[in-house]
Amino acid sequence: MGPESGRSRQGQFPSPSSMASCAEPSAVGPEPTAPPPAGVPPLEDFEVLDGVEDAEGEEEEEEEDLSELPPLEDVGQPPLEEAEQPGALAREFLAAMEPEPEPAPAPEEWLDILGNGLLRKKTLVPGPPGSSRPTKGQVVTVQLQTSLENGTRVQEEPELVFTLGDCDVIQALDLSVPLMDVGETAMVTADSKYCYGPQGRSPYIPPHAALCLEVTLKMAVDGPDLEMLTGQERVALANRKRECGNAHYQRADFVLAANSYDLAIKAITSSAKVDMTFEEEEQLLQLKVKCLNNLAASQLKLDHYRAALRSCSLVLEHQPDNIKALFRKGKVLAQQGEYSEAIPILRAALKLEPSNKTIHAELSKLVKKHAAQRSTETALYRKMLGNPSRLPAKCPGKGAWSIPWKWLFGATAVALGGVALSVVIAARN
């Protein structure tokens, strides 16, 4: 049932006050009427109203004989002409019996954010008048209480700070907070695909769990200016984005993971107007290498081989002996069928870490695939050029000098032709 299903339908029956006003004149008649049976509307017998008019006429005649009584103008009674209008009580009764107009339907309490019913928002406490809504890129602070569908509270964050639109949190928050006013408290119900998905979040949130979020938007401010960040502020910001990417990667959400790693790299490589120490620059370089390696892993999961190859190459520009970058570059080349290029790279990685079983297994697999590829290519070439064993045999009368004698005969003919031409030219002269 909806929120309106429990209200009483007062418009279908007269209110108690109107029913009382219609019942009072019936007591003026000469004989009291019996109460109506249950289920029958009161005052249904209109003959009672006619008897009331006759009784009022008799009372008027009696009051005319009592001329010594003072007038009743100050008592506050209605004028006599109004009370004596024929059919007044009947009209009053009919007006009371008419149903009241239905109230206008209340606006929808739940907002279907995406139109599929899987992400909804309901305002519990509206924001103060004049409050604004946050925009993408602003840093917001919310108070969050997370519960399962059965009401079990599994998470409580008194002050959760994140950048709106950067995928720092689950999608349910990233999509619903922009629709809230600062100071507003809202209830958000979200399907598992907009929360923690099929992996869940151990140990409190099971896989495929839909969640109820009670969110209070406490504050929204503009994001930081990357150019004005100090070295340590850059490190802290990039680390937060990298950790968000790691969380998305663990939930197998590789698109959001790649986005977070990109944001971390942007925070590291953006131009700076603040001087940094050598130690801070080294720290940022190490962090950049980690983010590029993780970005390549996400791109490999998404089958974005060219982008993954570019990320690995950027790592190897800074650290040529980075084992993870060598291994992933070899895997990318193998996925593209470039076994002859992938095998030397994996051998270089194995030389740096001979005990790595993963590199051993990958290299052995590639060697077998490369051998199979070469045998397939050889068979294909033989099919295209023909099998030498099926070529016709040489004639027994021909020797090894058969072809050179042809060349010799041709050369002799050319020489004789040249001599004859020179003789003709000399004779003409």
Side-chain angles (χ1 to χ4, degrees):
M1 295 176 63
E4 297 180 1
S5 60
R7 65 179 179 83
S8 62
R9 302 185 178 180
Q10 298 178 356
Q12 297 182 3
F13 302 99
S15 61
S17 59
S18 61
M19 293 176 65
S21 63
C22 293
E24 287 176 2
S26 63
V28 181
E31 296 179 1
T33 59
V40 180
L43 300 181
E44 191 171 3
D45 191 359
F46 290 96
E47 294 179 358
V48 177
L49 299 180
D50 295 336
V52 171
E53 292 180 359
D54 296 337
E56 287 179 353
E58 293 175 3
E59 288 179 3
E60 290 172 6
E61 294 177 358
E62 294 177 0
E63 289 176 358
E64 289 177 359
D65 296 335
L66 302 175
S67 56
E68 297 180 358
L69 292 177
L72 302 178
E73 295 178 359
D74 299 333
V75 180
Q77 297 290 339
L80 190 60
E81 291 80 3
E82 272 186 42
E84 292 179 354
Q85 290 180 358
L89 294 176
R91 286 193 298 271
E92 184 181 357
F93 170 74
L94 292 175
M97 291 294 293
E98 290 180 0
E100 298 179 1
E102 290 289 336
E108 291 291 336
E109 293 184 346
W110 287 96
L111 172 64
D112 192 350
I113 296 177
L114 299 177
N116 56 8
L118 301 180
L119 183 61
R120 302 187 304 157
K121 168 186 170 290
K122 177 182 179 181
T123 300
L124 301 179
V125 180
S131 57
S132 60
R133 292 185 173 182
T135 57
K136 183 179 179 180
Q138 286 190 315
V139 178
V140 297
T141 304
V142 301
Q143 180 180 347
L144 176 65
Q145 293 179 357
T146 306
S147 305
L148 301 178
E149 284 185 309
N150 59 8
T152 304
R153 184 170 296 178
V154 294
Q155 185 181 7
E156 188 167 356
E157 293 279 355
E159 285 193 355
L160 177 63
V161 181
F162 61 94
T163 303
L164 203 58
D166 278 7
C167 305
D168 293 347
V169 290
I170 57 176
Q171 289 185 336
L173 280 177
D174 239 350
L175 294 173
S176 59
V177 170
L179 303 176
M180 297 176 60
D181 297 328
V182 176
E184 176 184 341
T185 299
M187 177 66 71
V188 177
T189 60
D191 186 75
S192 62
K193 67 184 297 185
Y194 303 113
C195 300
Y196 295 98
Q199 283 75 28
R201 186 177 183 182
S202 180
Y204 304 110
I205 300 176
H208 301 286
L211 298 179
C212 298
L213 312 174
E214 184 176 328
V215 188
T216 301
L217 180 56
K218 304 173 71 174
M219 185 172 55
V221 297
D222 292 336
D225 185 0
L226 297 180
E227 293 184 345
M228 302 305 297
L229 293 179
T230 64
Q232 291 303 317
E233 289 173 340
R234 282 177 183 268
V235 170
L237 177 60
N239 258 325
R240 286 198 300 270
K241 301 300 181 184
R242 182 179 63 87
E243 290 170 359
C244 291
N246 293 345
H248 292 310
Y249 190 93
Q250 291 172 359
R251 294 198 297 269
D253 201 337
F254 304 116
V255 174
L256 296 183
N259 179 75
S260 295
Y261 295 136
D262 271 329
L263 292 173
I265 295 170
K266 181 181 177 181
I268 295 171
T269 59
S270 61
S271 59
K273 295 182 179 180
V274 179
D275 295 333
M276 289 183 287
T277 63
F278 177 77
E279 290 77 10
E280 291 173 342
E281 290 180 352
E282 285 295 319
Q283 196 174 0
L284 287 172
L285 179 60
Q286 296 294 331
L287 192 56
K288 179 183 177 182
V289 168
K290 290 181 181 179
C291 293
L292 284 171
N293 263 327
N294 294 350
L295 178 60
S298 302
Q299 291 164 340
L300 263 174
K301 293 290 186 180
L302 296 170
D303 296 337
H304 296 169
Y305 299 129
R306 294 181 62 182
L309 188 61
R310 184 169 57 250
S311 299
C312 293
S313 299
L314 289 173
V315 174
L316 294 174
E317 286 180 6
H318 298 293
Q319 295 179 357
D321 293 338
N322 189 287
I323 297 176
K324 290 183 178 179
L326 288 171
F327 175 71
R328 291 189 177 116
K329 186 174 182 179
K331 286 196 67 174
V332 170
L333 293 172
Q335 291 290 344
Q336 294 177 328
E338 303 292 342
Y339 300 123
S340 58
E341 296 182 27
I343 289 174
I345 293 176
L346 289 180
R347 283 176 176 166
L350 187 61
K351 185 177 180 181
L352 294 171
E353 193 172 339
S355 60
N356 194 310
K357 296 181 180 180
T358 305
I359 302 177
H360 264 292
E362 189 69 23
L363 182 59
S364 301
K365 184 171 64 175
L366 288 187
V367 169
K368 292 179 182 179
K369 286 185 177 181
H370 190 215
Q373 184 187 49
R374 292 182 63 182
S375 62
T376 303
E377 290 176 353
T378 302
L380 182 62
Y381 292 152
R382 284 180 179 178
K383 186 175 181 181
M384 293 174 60
L385 301 176
N387 194 340
S389 61
R390 296 182 180 179
L391 293 177
K394 295 181 180 180
C395 298
K398 294 183 178 181
W401 291 94
S402 59
I403 295 178
W405 278 109
K406 292 179 181 179
W407 286 102
L408 182 60
F409 177 78
T412 304
V414 171
L416 291 175
V419 171
L421 181 62
S422 62
V423 169
V424 171
I425 292 173
R428 287 182 178 181
N429 292 335

